[in-house]
Amino acid sequence: MIKYLGSKRNLVPALGTIATAAGVRSALDLFSGTTRVAQEFKRRGIFTTACDLASYSYQLARTYIETDADTVDYDALRAHLAAMSALEGKEGYFTETFCRQARFFQPHNGARIDACRDYLVPLTDDPLFPILLTSLLEAADRVDSTTGLQMAYLKKWAPRSYNQLELREPELISGKGQALQGDALKLVDQVPPVDLAYLDPPYNQHRYFTNYHIWETLVRWDAPETYGVARKRVDARGEEHRSVFNSKRTMASSFFSLLHRVRANTIVVSYNDEAWISEDEMISAIYQAGFARVKKFSFPQRRYVGSKIGIYDPQGKKVGQPGAAHNTENVFVGGEEATLSQISAALAS
Ligand SMILES: C[S@@+](CC[C@H](N)C(=O)[O-])C[C@H]1O[C@@H](n2cnc3c(N)ncnc32)[C@H](O)[C@@H]1O
């Protein structure tokens, strides 16, 4: 699984317990990111729909949520992975942009990423495409030289960046599911009602489009013009890829509108203590959206991405500060009294 800001790695078991205790058969993860929460729902036999704005998240969702592990042609999958693994490196856009103009990956790995991604171009319409692309994306993530954000790279090469790019077979999950790409504020009206909806939006200024611009480019393979030390996509400057959830002015009202519009019996909202919305505002918004009872569950956790190491520009000047090493992840659950009692009992046991 890729390193990802706000990834709910530590919360996944608790979110799975909540879904099982609520007895849900269908779930919606509207901000699915790495898809690790949606994957947990699917593993529990729940029909899950995963949505996100980001192109890389959509391909991860096609792989882990939409693909049924029982219907995959594994001979073909392994043959493609073997062919990609055997490719000679071929320096192209990726190496030039992210290994020479910037230092996110070592050139020997950049050249192999270029060759593998070019190999996938004729396979774009193949059902194996998202799986192979996920394998490449996860392989690249294991040899990057960042703290987990792509706004800057490390001053000295990260030890893992010296490793060889290694393509692995993604661990697919049996069963059906759905992947959607788009703005949650639009998709929310298009997906059918579900038993449980999970909402984990960006709660502050951190923009995923710029923080993960390399994954966006690797997936789109559109060789965009870039700017700045981090060689970000020029379209990151435009309005088109701004999320209303990254603006203090629009975040709360957009999120509250979503709460009103989502059609679910039980709602689970991830919320951390660095958010622009206060706890009281959140609780009253969930009540106002029509849920009979609201409960808060708290989970202290170690922060995952970008918190420990300082961030440097190519001259070795510190351009970012390490954040706090711990924060608290809160989960607000809105639903029927009986459902909340079952969830409380399950989390306490
Ligand atoms: C906190 S992360 C979700 C992390 C996810 N739960 C996980 O464990 O990997 C927030 C996600 O919201 C997505 N996002 C931002 N604005 C969005 C919007 N308007 N509609 C849908 N997704 C959006 C981002 O791309 C990002 O993946």
Side-chain angles (χ1 to χ4, degrees), residues 180-193:
L180 297 173
Q181 182 180 7
D183 186 339
L185 282 158
K186 294 200 178 110
L187 294 176
V188 69
D189 300 321
Q190 292 163 19
V191 287

Side-chain angles (χ1 to χ4, degrees), residues 186-206:
K186 294 200 178 110
L187 294 176
V188 69
D189 300 321
Q190 292 163 19
V191 287
V194 286
D195 295 331
L196 180 146
Y198 173 60
L199 307 186
D200 182 23
Y203 277 113
N204 50 34
Q205 70 285 0
H206 296 299

Side-chain angles (χ1 to χ4, degrees), residues 4-297:
Y4 205 57
L5 183 72
S7 168
K8 294 298 168 289
R9 189 171 61 153
N10 302 328
L11 270 190
V12 162
L15 293 168
T17 302
I18 289 172
T20 301
V24 310
R25 295 176 56 194
S26 58
L28 168 64
D29 182 353
L30 259 183
F31 300 87
S32 53
T34 60
T35 73
R36 64 171 79 238
V37 177
Q39 288 184 39
E40 179 65 17
F41 294 157
K42 184 182 175 190
R43 250 182 243 111
R44 289 172 183 253
I46 299 166
F47 181 91
T48 303
T49 301
C51 311
D52 201 286
L53 261 187
S55 305
Y56 53 84
S57 177
Y58 176 56
Q59 296 302 337
L60 294 173
R62 288 183 71 201
T63 299
Y64 290 115
I65 307 305
E66 202 156 78
T67 301
D68 181 345
D70 300 336
T71 63
V72 168
D73 179 347
Y74 285 97
D75 289 341
L77 175 62
R78 286 168 193 154
H80 281 306
L81 286 175
M84 288 163 73
S85 300
L87 288 173
E88 289 284 323
K90 188 185 71 183
E91 295 208 11
Y93 174 89
F94 194 94
T95 314
E96 172 57 27
T97 311
F98 301 123
C99 310
R100 301 233 180 261
Q101 295 174 16
R103 285 163 41 105
F104 286 103
F105 302 87
Q106 302 229 14
H108 69 273
N109 282 324
R112 289 195 54 220
I113 294 169
D114 265 316
C116 288
R117 187 61 186 86
D118 281 344
Y119 175 95
L120 292 178
V121 171
L123 297 174
T124 306
D125 297 324
D126 192 296
L128 295 175
F129 174 78
I131 307 173
L132 295 166
L133 186 52
T134 292
S135 174
L136 178 59
L137 205 151
E138 292 179 348
D141 184 63
R142 285 192 291 272
V143 295
D144 76 346
S145 191
T146 72
T147 62
L149 301 173
Q150 296 170 349
M151 300 292 278
Y153 42 87
L154 297 174
K155 181 181 169 196
K156 286 195 200 141
W157 287 115
R160 65 172 173 270
S161 71
Y162 290 93
N163 296 341
Q164 294 296 323
L165 186 83
E166 185 205 349
L167 296 165
R168 297 182 192 159
E169 194 175 305
E171 287 181 27
L172 303 173
I173 306 167
S174 298
K176 294 192 193 322
Q178 196 184 10
L180 297 173
Q181 182 180 7
D183 186 339
L185 282 158
K186 294 200 178 110
L187 294 176
V188 69
D189 300 321
Q190 292 163 19
V191 287
V194 286
D195 295 331
L196 180 146
Y198 173 60
L199 307 186
D200 182 23
Y203 277 113
N204 50 34
Q205 70 285 0
H206 296 299
R207 290 181 62 201
Y208 284 83
F209 194 77
T210 44
N211 275 322
Y212 297 102
H213 63 97
I214 301 176
W215 298 155
E216 201 60 35
T217 294
L218 182 60
V219 166
R220 295 185 188 201
W221 211 228
D222 54 355
E225 263 183 64
T226 57
Y227 70 97
V229 169
R231 309 317 297 156
K232 283 181 271 181
R233 305 172 57 91
V234 283
D235 53 4
R237 285 172 163 158
E239 283 308 303
E240 188 198 342
H241 297 293
R242 290 194 181 273
S243 171
V244 287
F245 297 99
N246 291 129
S247 151
K248 198 167 187 176
R249 197 172 48 79
T250 49
M251 198 285 149
S253 59
S254 304
F255 189 65
F256 297 155
S257 151
L258 206 58
L259 280 178
H260 273 275
R261 285 155 59 195
V262 71
R263 290 171 296 164
N265 300 330
T266 302
I267 188 139
V268 180
V269 179
S270 262
Y271 170 88
N272 71 39
D273 43 18
E274 293 163 357
W276 282 328
I277 301 177
S278 75
E279 274 194 35
D280 289 347
E281 284 173 321
M282 182 63 89
I283 292 170
S284 73
I286 299 174
Y287 275 119
Q288 278 170 28
F291 292 92
R293 290 278 287 145
V294 182
K295 260 197 160 173
K296 176 182 145 187
F297 301 93

Side-chain angles (χ1 to χ4, degrees), residues 308-330:
K308 284 195 228 123
I309 323 169
I311 299 168
Y312 299 86
D313 72 9
Q315 283 72 45
K317 198 172 126 242
K318 210 166 191 176
V319 293
Q321 288 299 324
H326 290 84
N327 64 349
T328 304
E329 285 289 344
N330 298 302

